[in-house]
Amino acid sequence: SQQGEEDPQALSIQEGENATMNCSYKTSINNLQWYRQNSGRGLVHLILIRSNEREKHSGRLRVTLDTSKKSSSLLITASRAADTASYFCATDISGTYKYIFGTGTRLKVLA
Amino acid sequence: DTAVSQTPKYLVTQMGNDKSIKCEQNLGHDTMYWYKQDSKKFLKIMFSYNNKELIINETVPNRFSPKSPDKAHLNLHINSLELGDSAVYFCASSQRTGNQPQHFGDGTRLSIL
């Protein structure tokens, strides 16, 4: 299967704590993207990191990319109840128009 | 204004029926996609069109037929619906050049009785 893997599958933390989720993939990529999906809604793009970048920040989000290990991590600092959602990584496969999504991490932030 | 809109939001129908889902984007993107998200939240690409040309067809049964009348619209027609077609179908769009992200609609929840 080309499906990317994310771990953990589910994560429950207290408001104010940091949340880290990981993504592993299988092929060469142009970039890797992280998306958030709130219940009953479509995916919303959070951050894109190119294959030649190692780290990227956007507000409370920090993404790292290790192409040698084919893995990425998303860190959400100082989490809020509104961060409760499912988070997906998506890899833009080199030489194709295809995006492969990970299996997702369900994050619950308790107030 | 909604960037990627799909209709209907909910679709409940009997097995064997034919149905269509419509998608429109007002972002000026050149590429559009259909994804299927199953009950375990796995999101899998079905089709992609770039400037009205089919560029991805991911071993989807022939009962599914996408149509792109112009680059702002991508519709999905499904013939002879089966129980296994029950899922949430998402439309998305992106600008293919320059490492651009995808923009998703809110999904169409298809339930087959």
Side-chain angles (χ1 to χ4, degrees):
Chain A
S1 166
Q2 289 183 303
Q3 195 84 37
E5 297 273 338
E6 290 186 56
D7 79 273
Q9 289 187 351
L11 181 60
S12 187
I13 59 175
Q14 293 294 129
E15 208 166 27
E17 292 181 341
N18 296 341
T20 299
M21 46 205 94
N22 304 295
C23 167
S24 61
Y25 58 93
K26 298 179 181 179
T27 62
S28 296
I29 62 172
N30 294 322
N31 63 65
L32 185 143
Q33 303 171 31
W34 284 91
Y35 289 82
R36 183 187 74 234
Q37 184 180 30
N38 291 91
S39 181
R41 302 299 300 272
L43 281 74
V44 174
H45 179 257
L46 296 175
I47 196 164
L48 181 152
I49 186 165
R50 297 170 195 243
S51 60
N52 61 355
E53 297 175 313
R54 292 297 165 257
E55 188 170 314
K56 203 158 182 183
H57 297 254
S58 176
R60 294 183 296 112
L61 306 180
R62 173 178 169 253
V63 167
T64 61
L65 178 65
D66 187 335
T67 52
S68 67
K69 295 181 179 177
K70 291 187 169 57
S71 67
S72 174
S73 67
L74 171 67
L75 168 68
I76 304 173
T77 60
S79 62
R80 305 166 181 168
D83 295 329
T84 294
S86 292
Y87 291 81
F88 294 88
C89 65
T91 47
D92 182 357
I93 307 300
S94 298
T96 76
Y97 286 88
K98 197 182 297 186
Y99 293 86
I100 303 297
F101 280 80
T103 48
T105 294
R106 292 187 309 279
L107 173 66
K108 188 168 186 178
V109 181
L110 304 169
Chain B
D1 280 344
T2 304
V4 181
S5 60
Q6 38 182 127
T7 56
K9 190 171 175 64
Y10 299 96
L11 192 48
V12 181
T13 189
Q14 302 276 357
M15 209 163 51
N17 283 352
D18 304 338
K19 290 293 178 186
S20 291
I21 308 171
K22 295 186 175 182
C23 179
E24 176 182 3
Q25 55 97 1
N26 63 5
L27 297 166
H29 290 162
D30 61 4
T31 305
M32 296 185 73
Y33 311 81
W34 277 113
Y35 287 89
K36 179 179 180 180
Q37 187 173 46
D38 64 20
S39 59
K40 294 183 179 177
K41 300 290 188 186
F42 291 157
L43 194 70
K44 189 171 179 184
I45 191 164
M46 300 172 68
F47 300 103
S48 179
Y49 273 74
N50 176 259
N51 285 317
K52 301 197 299 175
E53 180 185 349
L54 180 65
I55 52 173
I56 295 176
N57 183 344
E58 281 291 293
T59 59
V60 177
N62 291 339
R63 300 181 295 103
F64 290 79
S65 52
K67 282 189 172 51
S68 182
D70 55 62
K71 70 176 190 177
H73 295 84
L74 180 60
N75 303 323
L76 183 64
H77 187 76
I78 315 170
N79 289 327
S80 304
L81 281 157
E82 300 177 357
L83 289 174
D85 297 332
S86 293
V88 183
Y89 292 83
F90 286 98
C91 176
S93 72
S94 71
Q95 193 61 26
R96 189 54 204 167
T97 55
N99 286 300
Q100 297 300 312
Q102 295 179 83
H103 296 255
F104 282 78
D106 275 341
T108 295
R109 184 173 295 276
L110 175 62
S111 298
I112 309 301
L113 304 177

